[in-house]
Amino acid sequence: MDSPKIIPAIEVAGLECGYGGAPVLKNVSFQVRRGEIFFVIGGSGCGKSTLLRHLVGLNEVTAGTVSFFGEPFTTADAEQRRVLLRTFGVLYQGGALWTSLTLRENIALPLEEYTPLARVEREEIVALKLAQVGLTGYGDYYPAEISGGMKKRAALARALALDPAIVFFDEPSAGLDPVTSRHLDDLIRHIRDTLGTTCVIVSHELASIYAIADRLIMLDKTAQGIIAEGVPRELARSTRDERVRDFLGRPENQP
């Protein structure tokens, strides 16, 4: 008897995307397993953030498909897409917090938009999310009143507001010092381990890649697509591609 097929959290097939008719990436295909911490890496201008924007629907793909848990996203109608949007959250590179709103109000926004919950219920969830990212007691602070690392955690709390099955991260360690970056890595791993959240992280930070990545894909600007896929340390040791070797360095030199 055949074992049942395991449906991946994300399946990308034959994706082509870009801007103004000029493709940045061509024929990109990969899968992200459920509960995986999956990195998208590569040099500047290779299309990492472009891929992320097309995966979450901020830009429409030119060709190919994106599916979440077996449900088509790129071909979904408006109502189907709205349902699928609830399955994932996004942590943008700068946090993208509304500066005129408190942290509490920022985190409540997705709940107001996507749920019929009463105010008291929303407040309970906001308090829980603040606690999950270690920001209990900071709900009434404004983004300008907290550090860069705290802003990233507040933005993560907002991304977790709807209990998404997937969270996308765009350069989460950008602008952070090494200690704060390491704490954020620990938080991402803790969320995966405790909530079973699938995490997709766009990054070029080697310390984070070696510390928490289960698998990765590497994009290349010239190739306009994927040039490597696998476990970071295994790739670094086995690859014959000089571009991959130069980017990942020597694994024994990593923590």
Side-chain angles (χ1 to χ4, degrees):
M1 181 176 177
D2 293 336
S3 58
K5 180 182 178 182
I6 299 175
I7 299 174
I10 306 170
E11 184 167 12
V12 178
L15 196 71
E16 179 176 305
C17 54
Y19 307 102
V24 175
L25 296 169
K26 297 179 179 179
N27 196 31
V28 171
S29 299
F30 63 93
Q31 294 182 352
V32 180
R33 301 164 187 159
R34 297 175 186 233
E36 189 169 44
I37 298 179
F38 185 91
F39 272 65
V40 179
I41 70 170
S44 298
C46 70
K48 301 188 298 294
S49 292
T50 295
L51 176 60
L52 178 61
R53 291 181 64 85
H54 286 77
L55 290 180
V56 302
L58 291 175
N59 295 91
E60 295 298 324
V61 304
T62 306
T65 60
V66 178
S67 299
F68 296 109
F69 302 103
E71 297 294 327
F73 181 68
T74 43
T75 57
D77 60 31
E79 181 55 34
Q80 290 172 323
R81 182 167 287 203
R82 182 177 173 84
V83 171
L84 288 170
L85 284 170
R86 289 199 56 176
T87 66
F88 60 80
V90 183
L91 174 58
Y92 297 99
Q93 185 173 148
L97 296 170
W98 292 93
T99 57
S100 60
L101 302 179
T102 65
L103 302 191
R104 191 189 316 279
E105 291 167 337
N106 267 282
I107 298 166
L109 283 176
L111 298 169
E112 295 170 1
E113 175 71 18
Y114 287 100
T115 75
L117 295 174
R119 181 175 179 176
V120 65
E121 294 172 306
R122 295 198 302 268
E123 290 176 348
E124 289 175 357
I125 293 174
V126 169
L128 174 61
K129 299 307 171 184
L130 285 167
Q132 285 179 340
V133 300
L135 288 177
T136 297
Y138 287 90
D140 292 325
Y141 281 65
Y142 288 88
E145 298 174 326
I146 59 177
S147 69
M150 293 170 75
K151 289 177 186 176
K152 291 291 179 75
R153 284 190 278 153
L156 178 54
R158 184 180 60 187
L160 294 170
L162 296 173
D163 292 325
I166 304 168
V167 176
F168 293 92
F169 300 78
D170 188 7
E171 299 284 5
S173 297
L176 301 181
D177 64 79
V179 174
T180 303
S181 178
R182 187 166 63 250
H183 289 165
L184 184 59
D185 287 343
D186 291 342
L187 178 58
I188 292 170
R189 183 160 47 195
H190 176 73
I191 287 169
R192 189 279 302 273
D193 291 346
T194 57
L195 303 179
T197 308
T198 301
C199 300
V200 179
I201 303 172
V202 168
S203 179
H204 63 272
E205 298 287 343
L206 276 182
S208 295
I209 292 165
Y210 279 110
I212 64 173
D214 293 315
R215 288 190 309 123
L216 61 79
I217 56 172
M218 181 172 176
L219 304 179
D220 179 74
K221 183 176 182 179
T222 302
Q224 292 186 299
I226 298 171
I227 60 170
E229 179 175 357
V231 177
R233 293 183 187 276
E234 293 178 2
L235 271 179
R237 292 190 180 101
S238 65
T239 184
R240 296 184 178 180
D241 192 314
E242 187 175 350
R243 297 166 296 181
V244 181
R245 188 166 56 246
D246 287 347
F247 188 97
L248 289 175
R250 298 175 67 85
E252 60 267 26
N253 293 334
Q254 302 301 323

Coordinates of all heavy atoms in Angstrom, one line a residue, residues 93-165:
Q93 N 11.4 43.9 5.9 CA 12.8 44.2 6.2 C 12.9 45.4 7.3 O 13.6 45.2 8.2 CB 13.6 44.6 5.0 CG 15.1 44.9 5.3 CD 15.9 45.1 4.0 OE1 16.9 45.8 4.0 NE2 15.5 44.4 2.9
G94 N 12.1 46.4 7.1 CA 12.2 47.5 8.0 C 11.2 47.4 9.2 O 11.0 48.3 10.0
G95 N 10.5 46.3 9.2 CA 9.4 46.1 10.2 C 8.1 46.6 9.7 O 7.1 46.0 9.9
A96 N 8.1 47.8 9.0 CA 6.9 48.4 8.4 C 5.8 48.6 9.5 O 4.6 48.4 9.2 CB 6.3 47.5 7.3
L97 N 6.2 49.0 10.7 CA 5.2 49.3 11.7 C 4.6 50.7 11.4 O 5.3 51.6 10.9 CB 5.8 49.3 13.1 CG 6.3 47.9 13.6 CD1 7.1 48.2 14.9 CD2 5.2 47.0 13.8
W98 N 3.3 50.9 11.7 CA 2.7 52.2 11.5 C 3.3 53.1 12.7 O 3.0 52.8 13.9 CB 1.2 52.1 11.6 CG 0.7 51.5 10.4 CD1 0.4 50.2 10.2 CD2 0.3 52.1 9.1 NE1 -0.1 49.9 9.0 CE2 -0.2 51.1 8.3 CE3 0.4 53.4 8.6 CZ2 -0.6 51.3 7.0 CZ3 0.0 53.6 7.3 CH2 -0.5 52.6 6.5
T99 N 4.0 54.2 12.3 CA 4.6 55.0 13.4 C 3.6 55.7 14.2 O 4.0 56.1 15.4 CB 5.6 56.0 12.8 OG1 4.9 56.8 11.8 CG2 6.7 55.2 12.0
S100 N 2.4 56.0 13.7 CA 1.4 56.7 14.5 C 0.6 55.9 15.4 O -0.3 56.4 16.1 CB 0.5 57.5 13.5 OG -0.2 56.6 12.7
L101 N 0.9 54.6 15.4 CA 0.1 53.6 16.2 C 1.0 53.0 17.3 O 2.2 52.8 17.0 CB -0.5 52.5 15.4 CG -1.5 52.9 14.2 CD1 -1.9 51.7 13.5 CD2 -2.6 53.7 14.8
T102 N 0.5 52.6 18.4 CA 1.3 51.9 19.4 C 1.5 50.5 18.9 O 0.9 50.0 18.0 CB 0.5 51.9 20.7 OG1 -0.7 51.1 20.6 CG2 0.2 53.3 21.2
L103 N 2.4 49.8 19.6 CA 2.7 48.4 19.3 C 1.4 47.6 19.4 O 1.1 46.8 18.5 CB 3.7 47.8 20.2 CG 5.1 48.5 20.2 CD1 6.1 47.6 21.0 CD2 5.6 48.8 18.8
R104 N 0.6 47.9 20.4 CA -0.7 47.2 20.6 C -1.6 47.4 19.4 O -2.2 46.4 18.9 CB -1.3 47.7 21.9 CG -2.5 46.8 22.4 CD -3.3 47.5 23.5 NE -2.4 48.1 24.5 CZ -1.8 47.4 25.5 NH1 -2.0 46.1 25.6 NH2 -1.0 48.0 26.4
E105 N -1.7 48.6 19.0 CA -2.6 49.0 17.8 C -2.0 48.4 16.5 O -2.8 47.9 15.7 CB -2.7 50.5 17.7 CG -3.5 51.1 18.9 CD -3.4 52.6 18.9 OE1 -2.4 53.2 18.4 OE2 -4.3 53.2 19.5
N106 N -0.7 48.3 16.4 CA -0.2 47.7 15.2 C -0.5 46.2 15.1 O -0.9 45.7 14.0 CB 1.4 47.9 15.2 CG 1.9 49.1 14.4 OD1 1.9 49.1 13.2 ND2 2.2 50.2 15.2
I107 N -0.3 45.5 16.2 CA -0.6 44.1 16.2 C -2.1 43.8 16.0 O -2.4 42.7 15.5 CB -0.1 43.5 17.5 CG1 1.5 43.7 17.6 CG2 -0.4 42.0 17.6 CD1 2.1 43.5 19.0
A108 N -2.9 44.7 16.5 CA -4.4 44.5 16.4 C -4.9 44.6 15.0 O -6.0 44.1 14.6 CB -5.1 45.4 17.3
L109 N -4.1 45.3 14.1 CA -4.6 45.6 12.7 C -5.1 44.4 11.9 O -6.2 44.4 11.4 CB -3.6 46.4 11.9 CG -3.4 47.8 12.3 CD1 -2.3 48.4 11.5 CD2 -4.7 48.6 11.9
P110 N -4.3 43.3 11.9 CA -4.7 42.1 11.1 C -6.0 41.5 11.7 O -6.9 41.0 11.0 CB -3.6 41.1 11.2 CG -2.4 42.0 11.6 CD -2.9 43.1 12.4
L111 N -6.1 41.6 13.0 CA -7.3 41.0 13.7 C -8.6 41.8 13.4 O -9.6 41.3 13.2 CB -7.1 41.0 15.2 CG -5.9 40.2 15.7 CD1 -5.6 40.4 17.2 CD2 -6.2 38.7 15.5
E112 N -8.4 43.1 13.3 CA -9.5 44.0 12.9 C -9.9 43.8 11.4 O -11.1 43.8 11.1 CB -9.2 45.4 13.1 CG -8.9 45.8 14.6 CD -8.3 47.2 14.7 OE1 -8.1 47.9 13.7 OE2 -8.1 47.6 15.9
E113 N -8.9 43.5 10.6 CA -9.2 43.3 9.1 C -9.8 42.0 8.8 O -10.6 41.9 7.9 CB -7.9 43.5 8.4 CG -7.9 43.3 6.9 CD -8.7 44.4 6.2 OE1 -8.9 45.5 6.7 OE2 -9.1 44.1 5.0
Y114 N -9.3 40.9 9.5 CA -9.6 39.6 9.0 C -10.5 38.8 9.9 O -10.8 37.6 9.6 CB -8.3 38.8 8.8 CG -7.6 39.2 7.5 CD1 -6.5 40.1 7.6 CD2 -7.9 38.8 6.3 CE1 -5.8 40.5 6.5 CE2 -7.3 39.2 5.1 CZ -6.2 40.0 5.2 OH -5.5 40.4 4.1
T115 N -10.8 39.3 11.1 CA -11.7 38.5 12.1 C -12.9 39.3 12.6 O -12.8 40.6 12.6 CB -10.8 38.1 13.3 OG1 -10.6 39.2 14.2 CG2 -9.5 37.5 12.9
P116 N -13.9 38.6 13.0 CA -15.1 39.3 13.6 C -14.9 39.5 15.1 O -15.9 39.7 15.8 CB -16.2 38.4 13.2 CG -15.6 37.0 13.3 CD -14.2 37.2 12.8
L117 N -13.7 39.3 15.7 CA -13.5 39.2 17.1 C -13.9 40.6 17.8 O -13.7 41.7 17.2 CB -12.1 38.9 17.5 CG -11.6 37.5 17.1 CD1 -10.1 37.4 17.3 CD2 -12.3 36.5 17.8
A118 N -14.5 40.5 19.0 CA -14.8 41.7 19.7 C -13.5 42.3 20.2 O -12.4 41.6 20.3 CB -15.7 41.3 20.9
R119 N -13.6 43.6 20.7 CA -12.4 44.3 21.1 C -11.6 43.6 22.2 O -10.4 43.4 22.2 CB -12.7 45.7 21.5 CG -11.5 46.5 21.9 CD -11.9 47.9 22.2 NE -10.7 48.7 22.6 CZ -10.7 50.0 22.9 NH1 -11.8 50.7 22.7 NH2 -9.6 50.6 23.3
V120 N -12.4 43.1 23.2 CA -11.7 42.4 24.4 C -11.0 41.2 23.9 O -9.9 40.9 24.5 CB -12.8 42.1 25.5 CG1 -13.8 41.1 25.0 CG2 -12.1 41.6 26.7
E121 N -11.6 40.5 22.9 CA -10.9 39.3 22.4 C -9.6 39.6 21.7 O -8.6 38.9 21.8 CB -11.8 38.5 21.5 CG -13.1 37.9 22.3 CD -14.1 37.3 21.3 OE1 -14.5 38.0 20.4 OE2 -14.5 36.1 21.5
R122 N -9.7 40.7 20.9 CA -8.5 41.1 20.2 C -7.4 41.5 21.2 O -6.2 41.2 20.9 CB -8.8 42.3 19.2 CG -9.8 42.0 18.1 CD -9.8 43.0 17.0 NE -10.1 44.4 17.5 CZ -11.3 44.9 17.5 NH1 -12.3 44.2 17.0 NH2 -11.5 46.1 17.9
E123 N -7.8 42.2 22.2 CA -6.8 42.7 23.2 C -6.1 41.5 23.9 O -4.9 41.5 24.2 CB -7.5 43.6 24.2 CG -7.9 44.9 23.7 CD -8.6 45.8 24.7 OE1 -9.0 45.2 25.7 OE2 -8.8 47.0 24.4
E124 N -6.9 40.4 24.1 CA -6.3 39.2 24.7 C -5.2 38.6 23.8 O -4.2 38.2 24.2 CB -7.4 38.2 25.0 CG -8.3 38.6 26.2 CD -9.4 37.6 26.4 OE1 -9.5 36.7 25.6 OE2 -10.2 37.8 27.3
I125 N -5.6 38.5 22.5 CA -4.6 38.0 21.5 C -3.4 38.8 21.4 O -2.3 38.3 21.3 CB -5.3 37.8 20.2 CG1 -6.4 36.7 20.3 CG2 -4.3 37.4 19.1 CD1 -7.3 36.6 19.0
V126 N -3.6 40.2 21.4 CA -2.4 41.1 21.3 C -1.5 40.9 22.4 O -0.3 40.8 22.3 CB -2.9 42.5 21.2 CG1 -1.7 43.5 21.4 CG2 -3.6 42.8 19.8
A127 N -2.0 40.7 23.6 CA -1.2 40.5 24.8 C -0.4 39.2 24.7 O 0.8 39.2 25.1 CB -2.1 40.5 26.1
L128 N -1.1 38.2 24.2 CA -0.4 36.9 24.0 C 0.7 37.0 23.0 O 1.8 36.5 23.2 CB -1.4 35.9 23.5 CG -0.9 34.5 23.1 CD1 -0.2 33.8 24.3 CD2 -2.0 33.6 22.6
K129 N 0.5 37.7 21.9 CA 1.5 37.9 20.9 C 2.7 38.7 21.4 O 3.9 38.4 21.1 CB 1.0 38.5 19.6 CG -0.2 37.7 19.0 CD 0.3 36.2 18.7 CE -0.9 35.3 18.3 NZ -0.5 33.9 18.2
L130 N 2.4 39.7 22.1 CA 3.5 40.5 22.7 C 4.4 39.6 23.7 O 5.6 39.7 23.7 CB 3.0 41.7 23.5 CG 2.5 42.9 22.7 CD1 1.7 43.8 23.5 CD2 3.7 43.6 22.0
A131 N 3.7 38.7 24.4 CA 4.4 37.8 25.3 C 5.2 36.8 24.5 O 6.4 36.5 24.9 CB 3.4 37.1 26.2
Q132 N 4.7 36.4 23.4 CA 5.5 35.4 22.6 C 6.8 35.9 22.1 O 7.7 35.2 21.9 CB 4.6 34.9 21.4 CG 3.5 33.9 21.8 CD 2.6 33.5 20.6 OE1 2.6 34.2 19.6 NE2 1.9 32.4 20.8
V133 N 6.9 37.2 21.9 CA 8.1 37.8 21.3 C 8.9 38.6 22.4 O 9.8 39.3 22.1 CB 7.8 38.7 20.1 CG1 7.1 38.0 19.0 CG2 7.0 39.9 20.6
G134 N 8.5 38.4 23.7 CA 9.2 39.0 24.8 C 9.0 40.5 24.9 O 9.9 41.2 25.4
L135 N 7.8 41.0 24.6 CA 7.5 42.4 24.7 C 6.4 42.7 25.6 O 5.7 43.8 25.5 CB 7.3 43.0 23.3 CG 8.5 43.1 22.4 CD1 8.0 43.7 21.0 CD2 9.6 44.0 23.0
T136 N 6.1 41.9 26.6 CA 5.1 42.2 27.6 C 5.4 43.5 28.3 O 6.5 43.7 28.7 CB 5.0 41.0 28.6 OG1 4.6 39.8 27.9 CG2 4.0 41.4 29.7
G137 N 4.4 44.4 28.4 CA 4.6 45.6 29.0 C 4.9 46.8 28.1 O 5.0 47.9 28.5
Y138 N 5.1 46.4 26.8 CA 5.5 47.5 25.8 C 4.4 47.8 24.8 O 4.6 48.5 23.9 CB 6.7 47.0 25.0 CG 8.0 47.1 25.8 CD1 8.4 46.0 26.5 CD2 8.8 48.2 25.8 CE1 9.6 46.0 27.2 CE2 10.0 48.3 26.5 CZ 10.4 47.2 27.2 OH 11.6 47.2 27.9
G139 N 3.2 47.3 25.1 CA 2.1 47.5 24.2 C 1.7 49.0 23.9 O 1.3 49.3 22.8
D140 N 1.9 49.9 24.9 CA 1.6 51.3 24.7 C 2.7 52.1 24.2 O 2.6 53.4 24.0 CB 1.1 51.9 26.0 CG -0.3 51.2 26.4 OD1 -1.1 51.0 25.5 OD2 -0.5 51.0 27.6
Y141 N 3.8 51.5 23.9 CA 5.0 52.2 23.3 C 4.7 52.4 21.8 O 4.1 51.6 21.1 CB 6.3 51.5 23.5 CG 6.9 51.6 24.8 CD1 6.2 51.1 26.0 CD2 8.1 52.2 25.0 CE1 6.8 51.1 27.2 CE2 8.7 52.3 26.3 CZ 8.0 51.8 27.4 OH 8.5 51.9 28.6
Y142 N 5.3 53.5 21.3 CA 5.3 53.8 19.8 C 6.6 53.3 19.2 O 7.6 53.2 19.9 CB 5.1 55.3 19.5 CG 3.7 55.8 19.8 CD1 3.4 56.3 21.1 CD2 2.7 55.8 18.8 CE1 2.1 56.7 21.4 CE2 1.4 56.2 19.1 CZ 1.1 56.7 20.3 OH -0.2 57.1 20.6
P143 N 6.6 52.9 17.9 CA 7.8 52.4 17.3 C 9.0 53.3 17.5 O 10.2 52.8 17.7 CB 7.4 52.3 15.8 CG 6.0 52.0 15.8 CD 5.4 52.9 17.0
A144 N 8.9 54.6 17.5 CA 10.0 55.5 17.7 C 10.6 55.4 19.1 O 11.7 55.9 19.3 CB 9.6 56.9 17.4
E145 N 9.9 54.8 20.0 CA 10.3 54.8 21.4 C 11.1 53.5 21.8 O 11.5 53.3 22.9 CB 9.1 54.9 22.4 CG 8.4 56.3 22.2 CD 7.1 56.4 23.0 OE1 6.5 55.4 23.2 OE2 6.8 57.5 23.4
I146 N 11.3 52.6 20.8 CA 11.9 51.3 21.1 C 13.1 51.1 20.2 O 13.3 51.8 19.2 CB 10.9 50.1 21.0 CG1 10.3 50.1 19.6 CG2 9.8 50.3 22.1 CD1 9.4 48.9 19.4
S147 N 13.9 50.1 20.5 CA 15.1 49.8 19.7 C 14.8 49.1 18.4 O 13.7 48.6 18.2 CB 16.1 49.0 20.5 OG 15.6 47.7 20.7
G148 N 15.8 49.0 17.6 CA 15.6 48.3 16.3 C 15.3 46.8 16.5 O 14.4 46.3 15.8
G149 N 15.9 46.2 17.4 CA 15.6 44.8 17.7 C 14.2 44.6 18.2 O 13.5 43.6 17.8
M150 N 13.7 45.5 19.0 CA 12.4 45.5 19.6 C 11.4 45.7 18.5 O 10.3 45.1 18.5 CB 12.2 46.4 20.7 CG 13.1 46.1 22.0 SD 13.1 47.4 23.2 CE 11.5 47.2 23.9
K151 N 11.7 46.6 17.5 CA 10.8 46.8 16.4 C 10.6 45.6 15.6 O 9.5 45.3 15.1 CB 11.3 48.0 15.5 CG 11.3 49.3 16.1 CD 11.9 50.4 15.2 CE 12.0 51.7 15.8 NZ 12.7 52.7 15.0
K152 N 11.7 44.8 15.4 CA 11.6 43.6 14.6 C 10.7 42.6 15.4 O 9.9 41.9 14.7 CB 13.0 43.0 14.4 CG 13.9 43.8 13.4 CD 13.4 43.7 12.0 CE 14.2 44.5 11.1 NZ 15.5 43.9 10.7
R153 N 10.9 42.5 16.7 CA 10.0 41.6 17.4 C 8.6 42.0 17.4 O 7.7 41.2 17.4 CB 10.6 41.5 18.9 CG 11.8 40.6 19.0 CD 12.2 40.4 20.4 NE 12.9 41.5 21.0 CZ 12.9 41.7 22.3 NH1 12.2 41.0 23.1 NH2 13.6 42.7 22.8
A154 N 8.3 43.3 17.5 CA 6.9 43.8 17.4 C 6.3 43.5 16.1 O 5.2 43.1 16.0 CB 6.9 45.3 17.7
A155 N 7.1 43.7 15.0 CA 6.6 43.3 13.7 C 6.4 41.8 13.5 O 5.4 41.4 12.9 CB 7.6 43.8 12.6
L156 N 7.2 41.0 14.2 CA 7.0 39.6 14.2 C 5.7 39.3 15.0 O 4.9 38.4 14.5 CB 8.1 38.9 14.8 CG 8.1 37.4 15.0 CD1 7.8 36.7 13.6 CD2 9.4 36.8 15.5
A157 N 5.4 40.0 16.1 CA 4.2 39.7 16.8 C 3.0 40.0 15.9 O 2.0 39.3 15.9 CB 4.1 40.6 18.0
R158 N 3.1 41.1 15.1 CA 2.0 41.4 14.2 C 1.8 40.3 13.1 O 0.7 39.9 12.8 CB 2.2 42.8 13.5 CG 1.1 43.2 12.6 CD 1.3 44.6 12.0 NE 2.5 44.5 11.2 CZ 3.1 45.6 10.6 NH1 2.5 46.8 10.8 NH2 4.1 45.5 9.9
A159 N 3.0 39.8 12.6 CA 2.9 38.8 11.6 C 2.3 37.5 12.2 O 1.7 36.7 11.4 CB 4.3 38.5 11.1
L160 N 2.4 37.3 13.5 CA 1.8 36.1 14.1 C 0.4 36.3 14.6 O -0.2 35.4 15.2 CB 2.7 35.7 15.3 CG 4.1 35.3 15.0 CD1 4.9 35.2 16.3 CD2 4.1 33.9 14.3
A161 N -0.1 37.5 14.4 CA -1.4 37.8 15.0 C -2.6 36.8 14.7 O -3.4 36.5 15.5 CB -1.9 39.2 14.6
L162 N -2.6 36.4 13.4 CA -3.6 35.4 13.0 C -3.2 34.0 13.1 O -3.9 33.1 12.5 CB -4.0 35.8 11.5 CG -4.5 37.2 11.3 CD1 -4.7 37.4 9.8 CD2 -5.9 37.3 12.0
D163 N -2.2 33.7 13.9 CA -1.7 32.3 14.0 C -1.4 31.7 12.7 O -1.9 30.6 12.4 CB -2.7 31.5 14.8 CG -2.8 31.9 16.3 OD1 -1.7 32.3 16.8 OD2 -3.9 31.8 16.8
P164 N -0.6 32.3 11.8 CA -0.3 31.8 10.5 C 0.5 30.5 10.5 O 1.3 30.3 11.4 CB 0.5 32.9 9.8 CG 1.2 33.5 11.0 CD 0.3 33.5 12.1
A165 N 0.2 29.7 9.5 CA 1.0 28.5 9.4 C 2.4 28.7 8.8 O 3.3 27.9 9.0 CB 0.3 27.5 8.5

